Amino acid sequence: MLLAPPLAEELNRSRRQLSLMSHAFAQAGIQVLMLDLKGTGDSPGDFSDATWKDWIDDLEHGWEWLRERTGLSPVIWGVRGGCWLGMELARRIAAPARMLFWQPQKLGSVYLNQWLRQKTAGDMLQGLPKAEPDQLRSQWAAGGVVEIGGYALTANIAQPLHAADLGAAAPRTEIQVLECASGELDVPSPGSVALQQEWKREECKVRWQRVRGEAYWQLQESPDQTELVSATLSVLLRASE
């Protein structure tokens, strides 16, 4: 299992849940590699030094390391923003891959706009002039840096993220999706329905499951999402039988 981690502050807020899941994998005999991508965690460099390509390169090295160590093709485990990185890795290795996604989102542009709104709200709280999204995009186009939530975001991350589309799947990929939801569990969101339709057009085998849980990637102190851990372990072990 190779983790393609969430991005920026979502990674910090997800670490406990990722650790819980990884320990459960290990107890079930599933090896997990959790990388700190360039400029994140304990890896060298600053966040502003990293590029989208650097992050996919890091994941590719991790995938190859696991494959050589085990003799098996690792499952790519993408979480939130890491789903786009994981899918790009699957396309790069040009081989049928198994994917596990937690809380995928189709368009990177929507995700990036959420970051920009966070920047605007933070500036207003500090009494700073309101920066419109188009102004911030102009900063990137001019080679500038936009600080959002303590992260120095450059065009090397922002522009590929804006263009990312999870609907452009690697053909013949097997994709298992698990989502935490507080509402009706048997009623898929319109976004998830659209993604499934696009993936199936690429001849992907898709399974989608919603479980009861909170948005751990948004909360400073989220309770352990034990139902998510149990459901994830169950679907992976069932698929390997």
Side-chain angles (χ1 to χ4, degrees), residues 168-197:
R172 299 179 304 283
T173 300
E174 182 178 336
I175 305 171
Q176 174 70 59
V177 177
L178 288 105
E179 290 184 314
C180 284
S182 57
E184 294 290 335
L185 298 183
D186 57 351
V187 180
S189 66
S192 68
V193 172
L195 260 181
Q196 290 182 69
Q197 290 173 343

Side-chain angles (χ1 to χ4, degrees), residues 7 38 46-56 85 88 112 115 139-146 152-163:
L7 308 181
K38 181 178 179 180
D46 296 325
F47 192 86
S48 59
D49 296 329
T51 69
W52 196 254
K53 180 180 179 298
D54 287 335
W55 287 349
I56 300 170
L85 296 170
E88 290 202 29
L112 183 60
W115 272 4
Q139 286 182 237
W140 286 319
V145 176
V146 176
L153 193 61
T154 69
N156 289 326
I157 298 296
Q159 290 177 352
L161 177 57
H162 184 270

